[in-house]
Structures are given as C-alpha cells and as structure tokens.
Amino acid sequence: MNKFQIITLFPDYFTSPLKEGLLGRAFKEGLMEVSFSNPRQFTQDGRVDDYPFGGGDSMILSYTPLKQSLESFTKKGYVVYPSPQGRPWSARKARIFAKHPLITLICGRYGGVDERFIRDSVDEEISLGDYVLNGGEAAVLTLLESLSRFIPGVLGNEKSAEEESFEGIGLLEGPQWTRPRSIEGHQIPEVLFSGHHEKIKNFRFFASLVLTALKRPELITDFSLQKRLSKAQQALKALSSEELRALGLRPVDLERSDFFTNGL
Ligand code: 6GU
C-alpha cells in the first residue's frame, strides 16, 4: 500500500483527477491512498502568506501554517516539495518513489514558501523542468500519475511500464498502429503482419532506436546503443520509401549528414 499526504490550499483541485482513469481505479481499489491537509485551517485569521523580506511582489507561504499542517499528520513519511529548484524528475525517480510506503507532498503557491520550512521539514525538492508553475498542485498530480505506473497492480498488465519510453534501456517508445489496416493511403510496416515474433521485436527495437536518435539524440549515450545505431542507420537505407514514411521519415532525410546527431 502506498500512502500519500498532500498539503495544499486547494484540496478541491485534486477531486476529479484522482477519480478518473487508472489513478482513479488505483485509489478506488486501495492500491494507493491519499489524505489532505489545508494550511489555512491552522490559522486564526485565514492568512497563510505574507510579503517577502527584502521586497518583492509575490507572496510567500508562511512557516507556521505549513508546519502545523504537516504536524497534523500522525506520521510525516518522506517529505517532498515540488519546486523549480528541485532535482529533475524522471522515470527512474518515479520507480524509487513508488517503493516509499508514505510520502507527504507540499504544494507551494505564489512566490514560494519560507525557506526555513524547507530546511526544517523537506527531505527532497523535485522539479518537473525548467519552467515555473503557479503552484505545486499540477506538479503533485504529475508525480502521482507517473509513479503510480510502478505500483504493482496499477497498470493492468505489469509489463507495460517496462515497455514504455525511458524504461528498460531508456529509449523512446516507437510508433504504434491499430485498425483499420489501411486508411487514406497511409502505409503500415509489413513486418507487423508477418506473425514472426522475432522479426517484429527487432523491428520495434530498431524503430525505437532510430526515433530516439532523431527526436532526442542526447538519450543515446550507451556505447553499445551507439554501435547498434550505426547498424540501424545502415538498415534504414535498405527500407522502402513506404516503410520510411510509416516511421515518419522521408528518403531525403537520410541524405542529411547531421541526420542522426542533430535530429530533425
Ligand atoms: Cl515540480 N513545482 C512547481 N511549483 N513549479 C515547477 C515545478 C514543480 N517544476 C517546474 N516548475
């Protein structure tokens, strides 16, 4: 059982996202559990923020309401504060977080939170990327959604989390197609209809490798992957223009000398 405690000024923000889809089912089936605490409830006058010392326009969440909100939980668990100053979030981290039995997530707002609260009570700051969100709620939902995939039973099929982008060897997931087999002249690679599992597996790995090289070349760091990529480049030249098109490529792309190093 994975339990999450969320400290937020806006608990209603979470109502529908935690009811819908896979996450909704995980909570309904008790694979995950969530409880909330609102710092506003720990103030006399409802005031949770104040102006920053030294000047500035944006309000800072005050120490005491946050601290009391945190202390209202019997156990704190691992305390996480999503903020642009945090360490980058990733599938690797999501997998680790999914093993914690109890995580408390602090949603910041406005200009941030009093630094003394972070020093005092936060175990880890996490950032989703180099941009600023108005508050931590959207970030907390993102963390929950991505780590839920590593909690046993959340995905119907245990294998799917492994096959997705960034899992296993860290490549992007390749393209997928479903019925109808033919629509508006778009082609699908023939090998997928061959029933030849080994060939299909190879094709998928190859497509994954090539698309990663094109879209996120910086992800291909591993030496053996780089060697396989140069083999894949050779193989790519043997594909028909229909097969290339099915991978989102054009024959002219292959003629660019920086094709696999700079992406498209
Ligand atoms: Cl994780 N939280 C907030 N509030 N802003 C962010 C972020 C997280 N990651 C990037 N910007």
Side-chain angles (χ1 to χ4, degrees), residues 203-263:
F203 169 81
R204 288 197 164 136
F205 172 71
F206 165 75
S208 206
L209 188 60
V210 168
L211 291 187
T212 307
L214 290 172
K215 294 179 173 175
R216 298 285 307 279
E218 77 279 11
L219 293 178
I220 306 204
T221 49
D222 187 84
F223 177 66
S224 77
L225 276 183
Q226 285 184 4
K227 279 207 300 203
R228 284 160 106 161
L229 180 59
S230 57
K231 279 204 192 120
Q233 281 175 280
Q234 298 306 313
L236 199 56
K237 295 201 177 109
L239 291 186
S240 70
S241 55
E242 280 76 29
E243 283 170 318
L244 278 178
R245 203 172 318 125
L247 291 173
L249 305 175
R250 300 162 303 170
V252 293
D253 291 328
L254 303 186
E255 278 148 38
R256 280 178 39 189
S257 58
D258 61 346
F259 182 62
F260 284 101
T261 44
N262 294 332

Short mmCIF file of all heavy atoms in Angstrom, two decimals, residues 203-263:
data_model
loop_
_atom_site.label_atom_id
_atom_site.label_comp_id
_atom_site.label_asym_id
_atom_site.label_seq_id
_atom_site.Cartn_x
_atom_site.Cartn_y
_atom_site.Cartn_z
N PHE A 203 12.19 -5.22 -35.26
CA PHE A 203 11.70 -4.00 -35.92
C PHE A 203 11.36 -2.94 -34.87
O PHE A 203 11.71 -1.78 -35.02
CB PHE A 203 10.45 -4.30 -36.76
CG PHE A 203 9.76 -3.04 -37.23
CD1 PHE A 203 10.24 -2.35 -38.33
CD2 PHE A 203 8.68 -2.52 -36.54
CE1 PHE A 203 9.64 -1.16 -38.74
CE2 PHE A 203 8.08 -1.34 -36.94
CZ PHE A 203 8.56 -0.66 -38.05
N ARG A 204 10.70 -3.36 -33.80
CA ARG A 204 10.29 -2.40 -32.78
C ARG A 204 11.49 -1.77 -32.09
O ARG A 204 11.51 -0.56 -31.83
CB ARG A 204 9.38 -3.07 -31.74
CG ARG A 204 8.02 -3.36 -32.33
CD ARG A 204 7.00 -3.63 -31.25
NE ARG A 204 5.67 -3.54 -31.81
CZ ARG A 204 4.69 -4.38 -31.57
NH1 ARG A 204 4.88 -5.40 -30.74
NH2 ARG A 204 3.51 -4.22 -32.12
N PHE A 205 12.47 -2.60 -31.79
CA PHE A 205 13.68 -2.07 -31.16
C PHE A 205 14.36 -1.08 -32.09
O PHE A 205 14.77 0.02 -31.69
CB PHE A 205 14.64 -3.21 -30.80
CG PHE A 205 15.97 -2.71 -30.34
CD1 PHE A 205 16.10 -2.09 -29.10
CD2 PHE A 205 17.09 -2.81 -31.16
CE1 PHE A 205 17.34 -1.59 -28.68
CE2 PHE A 205 18.32 -2.31 -30.74
CZ PHE A 205 18.43 -1.71 -29.51
N PHE A 206 14.45 -1.45 -33.35
CA PHE A 206 15.09 -0.65 -34.37
C PHE A 206 14.35 0.69 -34.54
O PHE A 206 14.97 1.76 -34.56
CB PHE A 206 15.09 -1.48 -35.65
CG PHE A 206 15.37 -0.75 -36.90
CD1 PHE A 206 16.66 -0.35 -37.19
CD2 PHE A 206 14.36 -0.46 -37.79
CE1 PHE A 206 16.92 0.33 -38.36
CE2 PHE A 206 14.62 0.22 -38.95
CZ PHE A 206 15.90 0.63 -39.25
N ALA A 207 13.03 0.63 -34.62
CA ALA A 207 12.23 1.85 -34.78
C ALA A 207 12.42 2.76 -33.57
O ALA A 207 12.57 3.98 -33.69
CB ALA A 207 10.76 1.49 -34.95
N SER A 208 12.45 2.15 -32.39
CA SER A 208 12.64 2.87 -31.15
C SER A 208 13.98 3.59 -31.14
O SER A 208 14.09 4.77 -30.78
CB SER A 208 12.60 1.82 -30.05
OG SER A 208 12.20 2.33 -28.86
N LEU A 209 15.00 2.87 -31.55
CA LEU A 209 16.36 3.41 -31.56
C LEU A 209 16.48 4.57 -32.55
O LEU A 209 17.01 5.64 -32.23
CB LEU A 209 17.32 2.27 -31.95
CG LEU A 209 18.81 2.50 -31.86
CD1 LEU A 209 19.21 2.86 -30.44
CD2 LEU A 209 19.54 1.24 -32.32
N VAL A 210 15.94 4.35 -33.74
CA VAL A 210 16.03 5.38 -34.78
C VAL A 210 15.24 6.62 -34.38
O VAL A 210 15.72 7.75 -34.50
CB VAL A 210 15.54 4.81 -36.14
CG1 VAL A 210 15.36 5.93 -37.14
CG2 VAL A 210 16.53 3.78 -36.65
N LEU A 211 14.04 6.42 -33.88
CA LEU A 211 13.23 7.58 -33.50
C LEU A 211 13.85 8.33 -32.33
O LEU A 211 13.78 9.56 -32.27
CB LEU A 211 11.79 7.17 -33.18
CG LEU A 211 11.00 6.71 -34.40
CD1 LEU A 211 9.55 6.47 -34.05
CD2 LEU A 211 11.09 7.71 -35.54
N THR A 212 14.48 7.61 -31.40
CA THR A 212 15.17 8.29 -30.30
C THR A 212 16.34 9.10 -30.84
O THR A 212 16.55 10.25 -30.42
CB THR A 212 15.66 7.27 -29.25
OG1 THR A 212 14.57 6.45 -28.86
CG2 THR A 212 16.20 7.98 -28.02
N ALA A 213 17.07 8.51 -31.77
CA ALA A 213 18.21 9.23 -32.36
C ALA A 213 17.74 10.51 -33.05
O ALA A 213 18.42 11.53 -33.02
CB ALA A 213 18.94 8.34 -33.35
N LEU A 214 16.56 10.44 -33.65
CA LEU A 214 16.05 11.60 -34.37
C LEU A 214 15.49 12.67 -33.44
O LEU A 214 15.74 13.85 -33.60
CB LEU A 214 14.93 11.17 -35.33
CG LEU A 214 15.40 10.37 -36.51
CD1 LEU A 214 14.20 9.84 -37.28
CD2 LEU A 214 16.26 11.23 -37.40
N LYS A 215 14.70 12.20 -32.46
CA LYS A 215 13.95 13.17 -31.66
C LYS A 215 14.69 13.61 -30.41
O LYS A 215 14.54 14.74 -29.97
CB LYS A 215 12.59 12.58 -31.26
CG LYS A 215 11.68 12.36 -32.45
CD LYS A 215 10.36 11.76 -32.03
CE LYS A 215 9.40 11.70 -33.20
NZ LYS A 215 8.15 11.01 -32.84
N ARG A 216 15.45 12.70 -29.78
CA ARG A 216 16.16 13.01 -28.54
C ARG A 216 17.56 12.40 -28.58
O ARG A 216 17.87 11.51 -27.79
CB ARG A 216 15.38 12.46 -27.33
CG ARG A 216 13.98 13.05 -27.12
CD ARG A 216 14.04 14.47 -26.56
NE ARG A 216 14.83 14.55 -25.35
CZ ARG A 216 14.40 14.22 -24.12
NH1 ARG A 216 13.16 13.81 -23.95
NH2 ARG A 216 15.20 14.31 -23.08
N PRO A 217 18.40 12.85 -29.53
CA PRO A 217 19.71 12.20 -29.71
C PRO A 217 20.52 12.13 -28.41
O PRO A 217 21.32 11.21 -28.23
CB PRO A 217 20.40 13.07 -30.75
CG PRO A 217 19.58 14.30 -30.91
CD PRO A 217 18.20 13.98 -30.45
N GLU A 218 20.29 13.08 -27.49
CA GLU A 218 21.09 13.10 -26.25
C GLU A 218 20.78 11.90 -25.36
O GLU A 218 21.53 11.60 -24.42
CB GLU A 218 20.88 14.43 -25.50
CG GLU A 218 19.58 14.56 -24.73
CD GLU A 218 18.38 14.95 -25.59
OE1 GLU A 218 18.47 14.92 -26.84
OE2 GLU A 218 17.31 15.26 -25.01
N LEU A 219 19.69 11.17 -25.64
CA LEU A 219 19.36 9.99 -24.82
C LEU A 219 20.22 8.77 -25.20
O LEU A 219 20.29 7.81 -24.45
CB LEU A 219 17.88 9.61 -24.96
CG LEU A 219 16.84 10.58 -24.40
CD1 LEU A 219 15.44 10.07 -24.68
CD2 LEU A 219 17.04 10.79 -22.91
N ILE A 220 20.82 8.81 -26.38
CA ILE A 220 21.61 7.65 -26.81
C ILE A 220 23.05 7.83 -26.37
O ILE A 220 23.89 8.33 -27.10
CB ILE A 220 21.51 7.45 -28.33
CG1 ILE A 220 20.04 7.38 -28.68
CG2 ILE A 220 22.26 6.18 -28.76
CD1 ILE A 220 19.69 6.67 -29.92
N THR A 221 23.30 7.43 -25.13
CA THR A 221 24.62 7.66 -24.55
C THR A 221 25.41 6.37 -24.47
O THR A 221 26.62 6.36 -24.54
CB THR A 221 24.48 8.24 -23.13
OG1 THR A 221 23.55 7.43 -22.42
CG2 THR A 221 23.98 9.66 -23.18
N ASP A 222 24.68 5.29 -24.32
CA ASP A 222 25.30 4.00 -24.10
C ASP A 222 26.11 3.57 -25.32
O ASP A 222 25.68 3.67 -26.45
CB ASP A 222 24.17 2.99 -23.83
CG ASP A 222 24.71 1.66 -23.41
OD1 ASP A 222 25.00 1.49 -22.22
OD2 ASP A 222 24.85 0.79 -24.29
N PHE A 223 27.33 3.07 -25.08
CA PHE A 223 28.22 2.73 -26.19
C PHE A 223 27.63 1.66 -27.10
O PHE A 223 27.66 1.76 -28.32
CB PHE A 223 29.58 2.28 -25.65
CG PHE A 223 30.53 1.85 -26.71
CD1 PHE A 223 31.00 2.77 -27.64
CD2 PHE A 223 30.95 0.54 -26.81
CE1 PHE A 223 31.89 2.39 -28.64
CE2 PHE A 223 31.83 0.14 -27.80
CZ PHE A 223 32.30 1.08 -28.71
N SER A 224 27.07 0.60 -26.50
CA SER A 224 26.55 -0.48 -27.34
C SER A 224 25.33 0.00 -28.14
O SER A 224 25.10 -0.42 -29.26
CB SER A 224 26.21 -1.70 -26.51
OG SER A 224 25.00 -1.51 -25.83
N LEU A 225 24.56 0.95 -27.54
CA LEU A 225 23.43 1.51 -28.29
C LEU A 225 23.95 2.31 -29.49
O LEU A 225 23.38 2.27 -30.57
CB LEU A 225 22.60 2.43 -27.41
CG LEU A 225 21.54 1.76 -26.53
CD1 LEU A 225 20.75 2.83 -25.78
CD2 LEU A 225 20.59 0.93 -27.38
N GLN A 226 25.06 3.02 -29.28
CA GLN A 226 25.62 3.81 -30.38
C GLN A 226 26.09 2.91 -31.50
O GLN A 226 25.92 3.23 -32.67
CB GLN A 226 26.76 4.69 -29.87
CG GLN A 226 26.21 5.88 -29.09
CD GLN A 226 27.29 6.84 -28.65
OE1 GLN A 226 28.46 6.68 -28.99
NE2 GLN A 226 26.90 7.83 -27.87
N LYS A 227 26.65 1.75 -31.12
CA LYS A 227 27.09 0.81 -32.16
C LYS A 227 25.88 0.25 -32.92
O LYS A 227 25.89 0.13 -34.13
CB LYS A 227 27.89 -0.35 -31.53
CG LYS A 227 29.33 0.04 -31.27
CD LYS A 227 30.24 -1.17 -31.30
CE LYS A 227 29.85 -2.18 -30.23
NZ LYS A 227 30.92 -3.08 -29.83
N ARG A 228 24.83 -0.08 -32.13
CA ARG A 228 23.63 -0.61 -32.79
C ARG A 228 23.00 0.46 -33.66
O ARG A 228 22.40 0.15 -34.69
CB ARG A 228 22.64 -1.11 -31.74
CG ARG A 228 23.09 -2.44 -31.19
CD ARG A 228 22.43 -2.69 -29.90
NE ARG A 228 21.39 -3.70 -30.02
CZ ARG A 228 20.91 -4.35 -28.99
NH1 ARG A 228 21.36 -4.10 -27.77
NH2 ARG A 228 19.97 -5.25 -29.14
N LEU A 229 23.12 1.71 -33.24
CA LEU A 229 22.54 2.79 -34.04
C LEU A 229 23.22 2.88 -35.39
O LEU A 229 22.54 3.05 -36.41
CB LEU A 229 22.66 4.12 -33.29
CG LEU A 229 22.09 5.33 -34.03
CD1 LEU A 229 20.62 5.14 -34.35
CD2 LEU A 229 22.29 6.60 -33.22
N SER A 230 24.53 2.71 -35.43
CA SER A 230 25.16 2.81 -36.75
C SER A 230 24.73 1.64 -37.63
O SER A 230 24.59 1.79 -38.84
CB SER A 230 26.68 2.95 -36.66
OG SER A 230 27.20 1.87 -35.96
N LYS A 231 24.49 0.46 -37.01
CA LYS A 231 23.91 -0.66 -37.78
C LYS A 231 22.51 -0.30 -38.26
O LYS A 231 22.13 -0.57 -39.39
CB LYS A 231 23.83 -1.92 -36.93
CG LYS A 231 25.14 -2.65 -36.85
CD LYS A 231 24.88 -4.14 -36.52
CE LYS A 231 26.19 -4.81 -36.15
NZ LYS A 231 26.17 -5.35 -34.78
N ALA A 232 21.74 0.32 -37.36
CA ALA A 232 20.37 0.70 -37.70
C ALA A 232 20.37 1.71 -38.85
O ALA A 232 19.52 1.65 -39.74
CB ALA A 232 19.66 1.30 -36.48
N GLN A 233 21.36 2.60 -38.86
CA GLN A 233 21.47 3.58 -39.95
C GLN A 233 21.64 2.89 -41.29
O GLN A 233 21.04 3.29 -42.28
CB GLN A 233 22.65 4.53 -39.71
CG GLN A 233 22.32 5.61 -38.72
CD GLN A 233 23.54 6.46 -38.41
OE1 GLN A 233 24.37 6.07 -37.63
NE2 GLN A 233 23.63 7.60 -39.03
N GLN A 234 22.50 1.83 -41.27
CA GLN A 234 22.69 1.06 -42.50
C GLN A 234 21.37 0.42 -42.92
O GLN A 234 20.97 0.50 -44.08
CB GLN A 234 23.74 -0.06 -42.30
CG GLN A 234 25.12 0.44 -41.94
CD GLN A 234 25.64 1.46 -42.95
OE1 GLN A 234 25.55 1.25 -44.15
NE2 GLN A 234 26.14 2.58 -42.45
N ALA A 235 20.71 -0.21 -41.95
CA ALA A 235 19.46 -0.92 -42.25
C ALA A 235 18.40 0.05 -42.77
O ALA A 235 17.60 -0.29 -43.64
CB ALA A 235 18.95 -1.62 -41.00
N LEU A 236 18.44 1.26 -42.23
CA LEU A 236 17.45 2.26 -42.63
C LEU A 236 17.55 2.56 -44.12
O LEU A 236 16.55 2.77 -44.81
CB LEU A 236 17.72 3.53 -41.82
CG LEU A 236 16.62 4.57 -41.71
CD1 LEU A 236 15.37 3.95 -41.14
CD2 LEU A 236 17.09 5.71 -40.83
N LYS A 237 18.77 2.54 -44.60
CA LYS A 237 18.98 2.84 -46.03
C LYS A 237 18.35 1.77 -46.92
O LYS A 237 18.08 2.02 -48.09
CB LYS A 237 20.48 2.97 -46.32
CG LYS A 237 21.09 4.16 -45.59
CD LYS A 237 22.40 4.61 -46.23
CE LYS A 237 22.93 5.84 -45.52
NZ LYS A 237 24.12 5.58 -44.71
N ALA A 238 18.13 0.57 -46.35
CA ALA A 238 17.54 -0.51 -47.14
C ALA A 238 16.02 -0.49 -47.14
O ALA A 238 15.39 -1.25 -47.86
CB ALA A 238 18.04 -1.85 -46.61
N LEU A 239 15.42 0.38 -46.31
CA LEU A 239 13.96 0.41 -46.24
C LEU A 239 13.36 1.07 -47.48
O LEU A 239 13.96 1.99 -48.05
CB LEU A 239 13.50 1.17 -45.00
CG LEU A 239 13.74 0.55 -43.63
CD1 LEU A 239 13.09 1.39 -42.56
CD2 LEU A 239 13.22 -0.88 -43.57
N SER A 240 12.17 0.62 -47.86
CA SER A 240 11.47 1.25 -48.97
C SER A 240 10.94 2.61 -48.50
O SER A 240 10.85 2.87 -47.30
CB SER A 240 10.30 0.38 -49.40
OG SER A 240 9.31 0.40 -48.39
N SER A 241 10.59 3.45 -49.45
CA SER A 241 10.11 4.78 -49.03
C SER A 241 8.79 4.67 -48.27
O SER A 241 8.51 5.48 -47.39
CB SER A 241 9.99 5.73 -50.23
OG SER A 241 9.19 5.16 -51.21
N GLU A 242 7.97 3.61 -48.56
CA GLU A 242 6.73 3.41 -47.79
C GLU A 242 7.05 3.09 -46.34
O GLU A 242 6.43 3.61 -45.41
CB GLU A 242 5.87 2.26 -48.35
CG GLU A 242 5.03 2.62 -49.55
CD GLU A 242 5.87 2.71 -50.81
OE1 GLU A 242 6.89 1.99 -50.87
OE2 GLU A 242 5.53 3.51 -51.70
N GLU A 243 8.04 2.20 -46.15
CA GLU A 243 8.41 1.83 -44.79
C GLU A 243 8.99 3.02 -44.03
O GLU A 243 8.72 3.23 -42.86
CB GLU A 243 9.39 0.65 -44.80
CG GLU A 243 8.69 -0.66 -45.09
CD GLU A 243 9.66 -1.80 -45.35
OE1 GLU A 243 10.66 -1.59 -46.05
OE2 GLU A 243 9.39 -2.89 -44.84
N LEU A 244 9.77 3.81 -44.75
CA LEU A 244 10.32 5.03 -44.12
C LEU A 244 9.18 5.96 -43.71
O LEU A 244 9.16 6.50 -42.61
CB LEU A 244 11.23 5.77 -45.11
CG LEU A 244 12.65 5.28 -45.23
CD1 LEU A 244 13.38 6.10 -46.30
CD2 LEU A 244 13.38 5.38 -43.90
N ARG A 245 8.23 6.12 -44.62
CA ARG A 245 7.12 7.03 -44.35
C ARG A 245 6.32 6.57 -43.12
O ARG A 245 5.88 7.38 -42.32
CB ARG A 245 6.22 7.17 -45.58
CG ARG A 245 5.43 8.46 -45.52
CD ARG A 245 4.64 8.77 -46.79
NE ARG A 245 5.37 8.51 -48.03
CZ ARG A 245 4.89 7.71 -48.99
NH1 ARG A 245 3.74 7.11 -48.85
NH2 ARG A 245 5.59 7.53 -50.09
N ALA A 246 6.19 5.24 -42.99
CA ALA A 246 5.47 4.72 -41.82
C ALA A 246 6.17 5.08 -40.52
O ALA A 246 5.54 5.18 -39.47
CB ALA A 246 5.32 3.20 -41.94
N LEU A 247 7.48 5.31 -40.58
CA LEU A 247 8.24 5.73 -39.39
C LEU A 247 8.31 7.25 -39.27
O LEU A 247 8.99 7.78 -38.41
CB LEU A 247 9.66 5.17 -39.45
CG LEU A 247 9.79 3.65 -39.29
CD1 LEU A 247 11.22 3.21 -39.54
CD2 LEU A 247 9.36 3.22 -37.90
N GLY A 248 7.59 7.93 -40.14
CA GLY A 248 7.58 9.39 -40.08
C GLY A 248 8.80 10.03 -40.75
O GLY A 248 9.10 11.19 -40.51
N LEU A 249 9.49 9.25 -41.57
CA LEU A 249 10.70 9.76 -42.23
C LEU A 249 10.50 9.90 -43.73
O LEU A 249 9.65 9.23 -44.31
CB LEU A 249 11.86 8.78 -42.00
CG LEU A 249 12.17 8.44 -40.55
CD1 LEU A 249 13.25 7.38 -40.50
CD2 LEU A 249 12.58 9.68 -39.81
N ARG A 250 11.31 10.75 -44.33
CA ARG A 250 11.31 10.88 -45.79
C ARG A 250 12.67 10.45 -46.31
O ARG A 250 13.68 10.66 -45.62
CB ARG A 250 11.07 12.34 -46.20
CG ARG A 250 9.76 12.91 -45.73
CD ARG A 250 9.81 14.43 -45.79
NE ARG A 250 10.92 14.94 -45.00
CZ ARG A 250 11.34 16.21 -45.00
NH1 ARG A 250 10.75 17.09 -45.79
NH2 ARG A 250 12.36 16.61 -44.25
N PRO A 251 12.72 9.88 -47.52
CA PRO A 251 14.01 9.46 -48.06
C PRO A 251 15.04 10.59 -48.05
O PRO A 251 16.22 10.34 -47.76
CB PRO A 251 13.67 9.04 -49.50
CG PRO A 251 12.23 8.62 -49.43
CD PRO A 251 11.60 9.51 -48.40
N VAL A 252 14.61 11.83 -48.29
CA VAL A 252 15.59 12.94 -48.32
C VAL A 252 16.24 13.17 -46.96
O VAL A 252 17.37 13.64 -46.87
CB VAL A 252 14.97 14.28 -48.80
CG1 VAL A 252 14.58 14.21 -50.25
CG2 VAL A 252 13.80 14.71 -47.93
N ASP A 253 15.52 12.78 -45.88
CA ASP A 253 16.09 12.97 -44.54
C ASP A 253 17.42 12.24 -44.39
O ASP A 253 18.33 12.71 -43.72
CB ASP A 253 15.13 12.45 -43.46
CG ASP A 253 13.88 13.32 -43.35
OD1 ASP A 253 13.98 14.53 -43.60
OD2 ASP A 253 12.81 12.77 -43.04
N LEU A 254 17.49 11.06 -45.03
CA LEU A 254 18.68 10.22 -44.88
C LEU A 254 19.91 10.83 -45.52
O LEU A 254 21.03 10.45 -45.22
CB LEU A 254 18.44 8.83 -45.49
CG LEU A 254 17.25 8.06 -44.95
CD1 LEU A 254 17.23 6.66 -45.54
CD2 LEU A 254 17.30 8.01 -43.44
N GLU A 255 19.68 11.77 -46.42
CA GLU A 255 20.82 12.37 -47.10
C GLU A 255 21.47 13.48 -46.29
O GLU A 255 22.56 13.93 -46.61
CB GLU A 255 20.39 12.89 -48.48
CG GLU A 255 20.38 11.76 -49.50
CD GLU A 255 19.32 11.92 -50.56
OE1 GLU A 255 19.10 13.07 -50.99
OE2 GLU A 255 18.71 10.90 -50.94
N ARG A 256 20.79 13.91 -45.24
CA ARG A 256 21.40 14.95 -44.39
C ARG A 256 22.55 14.37 -43.57
O ARG A 256 22.38 13.34 -42.92
CB ARG A 256 20.35 15.52 -43.44
CG ARG A 256 19.45 16.54 -44.10
CD ARG A 256 18.42 17.01 -43.13
NE ARG A 256 18.97 17.18 -41.77
CZ ARG A 256 18.24 17.43 -40.70
NH1 ARG A 256 16.92 17.52 -40.82
NH2 ARG A 256 18.79 17.58 -39.53
N SER A 257 23.66 15.03 -43.59
CA SER A 257 24.83 14.46 -42.90
C SER A 257 24.68 14.50 -41.38
O SER A 257 25.22 13.65 -40.67
CB SER A 257 26.09 15.20 -43.33
OG SER A 257 25.92 16.57 -43.04
N ASP A 258 23.92 15.46 -40.88
CA ASP A 258 23.77 15.58 -39.42
C ASP A 258 22.51 14.87 -38.93
O ASP A 258 22.06 15.09 -37.81
CB ASP A 258 23.71 17.05 -39.01
CG ASP A 258 22.52 17.78 -39.63
OD1 ASP A 258 21.91 17.22 -40.57
OD2 ASP A 258 22.20 18.88 -39.17
N PHE A 259 21.96 14.02 -39.80
CA PHE A 259 20.67 13.39 -39.55
C PHE A 259 20.53 12.76 -38.17
O PHE A 259 19.58 13.00 -37.45
CB PHE A 259 20.47 12.34 -40.64
CG PHE A 259 19.16 11.63 -40.57
CD1 PHE A 259 17.98 12.34 -40.71
CD2 PHE A 259 19.11 10.27 -40.40
CE1 PHE A 259 16.75 11.68 -40.66
CE2 PHE A 259 17.90 9.60 -40.36
CZ PHE A 259 16.73 10.32 -40.50
N PHE A 260 21.54 11.95 -37.77
CA PHE A 260 21.42 11.23 -36.51
C PHE A 260 22.05 11.94 -35.31
O PHE A 260 21.95 11.49 -34.21
CB PHE A 260 22.02 9.83 -36.64
CG PHE A 260 21.12 8.92 -37.40
CD1 PHE A 260 21.36 8.63 -38.72
CD2 PHE A 260 20.01 8.36 -36.78
CE1 PHE A 260 20.52 7.80 -39.42
CE2 PHE A 260 19.16 7.53 -37.49
CZ PHE A 260 19.41 7.25 -38.81
N THR A 261 22.70 13.02 -35.57
CA THR A 261 23.34 13.71 -34.44
C THR A 261 22.52 14.90 -33.98
O THR A 261 22.47 15.21 -32.79
CB THR A 261 24.76 14.16 -34.79
OG1 THR A 261 24.74 14.74 -36.09
CG2 THR A 261 25.72 13.01 -34.73
N ASN A 262 21.84 15.56 -34.91
CA ASN A 262 21.10 16.77 -34.52
C ASN A 262 19.59 16.59 -34.52
O ASN A 262 18.86 17.50 -34.15
CB ASN A 262 21.46 17.94 -35.43
CG ASN A 262 22.89 18.34 -35.24
OD1 ASN A 262 23.44 18.15 -34.17
ND2 ASN A 262 23.49 18.86 -36.28
N GLY A 263 19.12 15.43 -34.96
CA GLY A 263 17.68 15.24 -35.04
C GLY A 263 17.10 16.00 -36.22
O GLY A 263 17.84 16.58 -37.01
#
